[in-house]
Amino acid sequence: MTLTIKLFAALRDLAGTDTVTVVLPDGATVGALRLELGNRLPLARSLLARSAVAVNHDTTDDEHVLAPADECAVIPPVSGG
């Protein structure tokens, strides 16, 4: 399945774009998505591990199984002051 992933903040900066397209096998999980993004963006691996993943506007865990029509976004942690 082919998914378009939305990236925000520091992840967007590291990727140089606000979206990336990934190809994953049917039945792939959010955890597999994190691994694929880490392979494509090695400098972002530690940030990806701490980032929230939203599927269809709801944050989810790494065991969540993805579907081809899912809308996915990776949201890094935010700090402020």
Side-chain angles (χ1 to χ4, degrees), residues 12-79:
R12 178 186 57 222
D13 295 341
L14 287 168
T17 184
D18 60 355
T19 61
V20 293
T21 301
V22 297
V23 177
L24 296 171
D26 289 343
T29 62
V30 168
L33 171 62
R34 278 186 206 273
L35 288 173
E36 177 61 23
L37 290 173
N39 289 337
R40 296 176 94 189
L41 305 167
L43 295 175
R45 284 183 182 149
S46 66
L47 186 57
L48 285 163
R50 298 186 321 263
S51 296
V53 176
V55 178
N56 301 322
H57 304 278
D58 292 318
T59 56
T60 189
D61 59 27
D62 281 356
E63 288 77 37
H64 180 87
V65 176
L66 297 166
D70 283 344
E71 180 179 300
C72 302
V74 183
I75 308 158
V78 178
S79 64

